[in-house]
Amino acid sequence: MAGGIGGTLFEYDSISDHWRKIEPTDSIRNGQIYSITVTQERVFICRDSGVSLYDFLTGQWESLTVSDGLLSNNVFCATEDKNSIWFGTDKGFHGFS
């Protein structure tokens, strides 16, 4: 996956050797992208407006913001451990199960 200007996402298809544009449909889709973390089931797009989540299995988008429990909407990175996803924000790290 790669992020572009204006929050656009692209996924590389090695079979066709082409990039496919993915249009986020979540409420914070236009936020600047700081980083992208891909796990087996989901993609976490860390933005200046929260986190956009894309579920590979369902093809659904959702958003995480301070109203969902994030410490800040300025989310710079994400990492996964055995039980949680951790988000690095301008106010510290925060884990979600």
Side-chain angles (χ1 to χ4, degrees), residues 62-80:
E62 63 178 289
S63 300
L64 286 176
T65 64
V66 292
S67 64
D68 299 301
L70 285 177
L71 294 177
S72 170
N73 283 334
N74 288 311
V75 183
F76 302 113
C77 60
T79 190
E80 181 181 42

Side-chain angles (χ1 to χ4, degrees), residues 21-64:
K21 186 176 181 180
I22 299 174
E23 293 290 342
T25 58
D26 65 307
S27 61
I28 61 170
R29 65 185 167 271
N30 295 323
Q32 176 182 337
I33 296 173
Y34 289 129
S35 68
I36 299 171
T37 301
V38 180
T39 67
Q40 287 187 331
E41 297 175 357
R42 298 179 285 183
V43 176
F44 298 88
I45 298 102
C46 300
R47 302 178 181 271
D48 63 356
S49 53
V51 178
S52 296
L53 289 89
Y54 179 71
D55 188 301
F56 287 121
L57 301 175
T58 65
Q60 298 294 311
W61 286 93
E62 63 178 289
S63 300
L64 286 176

Side-chain angles (χ1 to χ4, degrees), residues 1-11 19 33-36 45 47:
M1 296 211 105
I5 296 172
T8 303
L9 294 173
F10 297 91
E11 179 180 40
W19 287 91
I33 296 173
Y34 289 129
S35 68
I36 299 171
I45 298 102
R47 302 178 181 271

